[in-house]
Amino acid sequence: MIDGIEIVDAHMHIMTAATNRWIRQRLGEKDPGYRRAYQLWSDGFRKRYDSELGEENEDPPEKLARDWARELDRHGVDRAVFVALYPEEDELTQVIEAGGQRFYAFATVDPREADAAQLLRRRIVEQGYVGLKLYPTTMAFLPSDRAVYPLYEECRSLGVPVLFHLGITLQYEADLRYANPIELHPVLKDFPEVPFIIAHFGAGYFREVLFLAYHVNNLHVDTCGKNVWIDYLPYRTTLSEVFERTLQVFGPERIIFGTDSRMLSRGYRRAVLRQQLGILRSLELGREEISLIMGANILRLIGGSKT
Ligand SMILES: [Zn+2]
């Protein structure tokens, strides 16, 4: 709690040594040309951001859960929703189990795989996941592709939301041909009962996300991360203005707070929390509206308590 407001971080990740093993294994399956290009890109990433892509954490899931819980305590964060990075990630299942009522998770699947819908159902029904995360740019599919529809149908029957990362991304695999949120429009219309969330205000495609809100009511945005995409727009704006526009278009019921915290060694992204909470207060929102954005909205979408 911060000043009596329940804080739920709706978008975090867990990076472990196992995550890195998946990344390396996938890379190992590519041809030498791809691997060389990846190497050049990752060297550039380290220089540009003075950061590794992930961290090598070999701790067992129970310890990871304990350490993250302590980290959240330090910053007044009540609950967290962890978003899976890879379909194979079973560590996340164990972390959320160990985290009890406090941790939730969105599963991810590759819609190109024949068993994607079964994997999703298993994650949700048997393992306690509360939503689906899809990443069209890294998995090279369009959200409107009919091949993805069985997944949306599964989400509708399970009553869980779908989170999309569209727009720009740090991932090397990204292909911006699959980045435009407009591609989601037919899906939003075909599945009006399913709540959809677009992460990072559309990560550069802010205009498109606002346009979608003109047409549909089942779309939400998450605010997560440092929102570096703002620096790549052809015009100047600020995160505060982005919040203001989003509030005007979406209203406070469809905006969801998150930090994209991911590395325990770097700690919880307190600066993101402080900045966004500060912006909401400066926009003179009421306490009720701030509570919606900082936690109540995501709890409403995921059903609030675990079964
Ligand atoms: Zn993320």
Side-chain angles (χ1 to χ4, degrees), residues 53-101:
L53 284 158
E55 64 182 356
E56 291 287 336
N57 190 324
E58 291 281 8
D59 290 339
E62 298 73 24
K63 179 164 175 358
L64 267 174
R66 265 199 314 278
D67 289 347
W68 268 116
R70 199 173 306 134
E71 186 61 16
L72 296 178
D73 282 341
R74 286 183 27 178
H75 301 290
V77 180
D78 299 275
R79 308 195 224 188
V81 181
F82 292 97
V83 178
L85 294 164
Y86 292 92
E88 305 88 344
E89 257 185 310
D90 288 317
E91 295 73 24
L92 182 56
T93 311
Q94 296 166 301
V95 172
I96 55 163
E97 241 175 60
Q101 291 296 320

Side-chain angles (χ1 to χ4, degrees), residues 179-231:
N180 197 327
I182 293 299
E183 275 296 326
L184 198 55
H185 192 189
V187 180
L188 292 162
K189 282 198 298 184
D190 290 341
F191 295 90
E193 318 88 338
V194 178
F196 288 85
I197 308 165
I198 291 183
H200 318 283
F201 300 97
Y205 293 75
F206 185 46
R207 185 184 77 142
E208 285 72 10
V209 169
L210 298 180
F211 287 161
L212 286 175
Y214 179 82
H215 287 269
V216 299
N217 297 314
N218 53 335
L219 181 63
H220 306 66
V221 280
D222 95 22
T223 68
C224 84
K226 296 175 183 167
N227 288 295
V228 174
W229 58 269
I230 290 174
D231 300 339

